[in-house]
Amino acid sequence: MKQRNGQLWKIWVLGTIIVIASMILMLLCIVTKPSSVTSTAVSNVEETEKKDTPIIEENIEQSAPIIQNSAQVAESFPLPNTANANDVQEIAEENTEEPKVAAVTPKPVKVHKFDIPAAVNGATLIFIFDDAGQSLTKLQKYTAKMPFPFTVAVLPYLPHSRDCALELSKKGKEIMLHQPMQAVNLSINPGPGAILPEMDSYSIEEQLRKNIDSLGVQIAGMNNHEGSLITSDLVKMLDVLQVVKEKDIYFLDSRTTSATKAPQAAQLLGLTIFSNDVFLDNEVERNAILKQIYRGLAVANKNGKAVMIGHIDKSSDIIPKLLSEMYGELVDNGYRFSTLSMYK
């Protein structure tokens, strides 16, 4: 028993020595550690100072391929809703171009061939062409060339009276009976179907009805061919205007004489009649006819309208061409074109 207790005591003493020795060793480590750490830190700083520049350069060189790779990746994944390089270049080129201006075609300057005064308050021109019936070809020069309304007076019983009347009707032109009447100069033959001094009232009225029917078309009015002797006779003009009233047509006094009694006869019958203002072609020459047209323009500007009479056959080479040339300028200057039926 004593021997066993002695062994336990030895073990306890040995253990105690070992513990004390361990504690002493730990204390020694704690005391010596700061100096070693400090020396290590200083050496590390010196080493870092020596190696700072090479490390930075080496890092830059190593990062370059990374940056390049990043740019390649960015190119392969373009930002949304942005233009690629080609688009940007095209846009830049477009923006550097000069602005395109639409070409403006200058309006052609109108050349005025005629000395036409401006119309006053829409002055109206009424053109009437007498003596149709001899030639259909000459009549067609008027219907083919003149684009405005006009009236043609057709003589009865001539070779092409009916043909001319039908042609005018097809073209939509206004038609009058150009009624032959005896002139003061008895040597002048007024032509077939004429009203003569020896005729009584019944004969006059019957002749007029036959003449109207002979044309085969609806007529708008009547005017006198020659007739200075008849139009200056009040009684005979009453007979003429009685048929005009019966047929509901108008009468145009060509005023072949200043002694005409047509206005008095019309007043007695309660009719409104018209009268000629200007003869265009007493002289068949272009400048003379142009001068007469200018006279007609002056009348229209003064009175509101002007009635101008020409002749189909004798002026067919001048009037259609001249008026077709003047038409555009007349319209530009405010003139209107009409017929007498519009004033009836």
Side-chain angles (χ1 to χ4, degrees), residues 96-316:
T96 57
E97 291 181 359
E98 295 182 359
K100 296 181 179 179
V101 179
V104 178
T105 303
K107 293 183 178 180
V109 178
K110 291 185 178 180
V111 178
H112 295 287
K113 297 173 59 178
F114 303 97
D115 186 18
I116 297 175
V120 176
N121 296 326
T124 301
L125 310 179
I126 298 170
F127 288 97
I128 295 170
F129 303 102
D130 287 348
D131 295 352
Q134 287 286 1
S135 170
L136 180 60
T137 301
K138 289 182 178 179
L139 171 69
Q140 289 172 336
K141 290 184 178 181
Y142 292 78
T143 58
K145 290 186 178 181
M146 299 193 305
F148 52 85
F150 59 88
T151 303
V152 176
V154 183
L155 287 161
Y157 310 115
L158 295 184
H160 296 285
S161 296
R162 197 177 183 92
D163 294 337
C164 288
L166 291 172
E167 173 73 8
L168 291 165
S169 181
K170 289 177 183 177
K171 298 294 185 180
K173 301 302 180 182
E174 188 159 289
I175 306 166
M176 289 198 301
L177 170 66
H178 194 35
Q179 176 57 48
M181 299 181 185
Q182 183 61 56
V184 171
N185 184 351
L186 297 177
S187 66
I188 297 175
N189 181 5
I195 296 173
L196 304 173
E198 62 270 18
M199 294 173 68
D200 59 22
S201 296
Y202 175 80
S203 299
I204 291 172
E205 292 178 13
E206 281 300 300
Q207 187 65 63
L208 289 174
R209 294 186 187 101
K210 288 178 181 178
N211 293 350
I212 291 171
D213 292 342
S214 71
L215 298 181
V217 297
Q218 180 65 44
I219 67 171
M222 178 194 305
N223 71 337
N224 55 295
H225 172 65
E226 300 295 346
S228 56
L229 182 61
I230 302 301
T231 58
S232 60
D233 186 321
L234 179 59
V235 174
K236 286 184 170 42
M237 285 309 300
L238 283 169
D239 296 333
V240 171
L241 294 182
Q242 189 62 50
V243 176
V244 167
K245 186 175 183 178
E246 172 193 310
K247 296 292 186 180
D248 192 26
I249 59 178
Y250 61 81
F251 183 78
L252 169 66
D253 186 358
S254 298
R255 294 192 65 84
T256 55
T257 176
S258 60
T260 178
K261 295 298 188 291
Q264 292 92 323
Q267 187 175 13
L268 290 171
L269 293 173
L271 291 176
T272 298
I273 66 171
F274 305 98
S275 61
N276 174 41
D277 294 304
V278 176
F279 276 114
L280 296 176
D281 52 1
N282 286 338
E283 184 181 351
V284 186
E285 191 272 327
R286 179 182 169 95
N287 288 334
I289 293 174
L290 179 59
K291 183 179 179 180
Q292 291 300 93
I293 293 173
Y294 287 145
R295 281 189 58 197
L297 299 183
V299 172
N301 285 324
K302 180 181 178 181
N303 300 332
K305 71 177 187 304
V307 177
M308 293 178 269
I309 295 179
H311 296 83
I312 289 289
D313 291 346
K314 73 177 184 178
S315 301
S316 62

Side-chain angles (χ1 to χ4, degrees), residues 43-59:
S43 63
N44 287 341
V45 169
E46 292 176 354
E47 184 178 354
T48 300
E49 288 177 352
K50 293 178 182 180
K51 295 182 179 181
D52 267 349
T53 301
I55 290 173
I56 292 171
E57 292 176 355
E58 183 180 354
N59 288 340

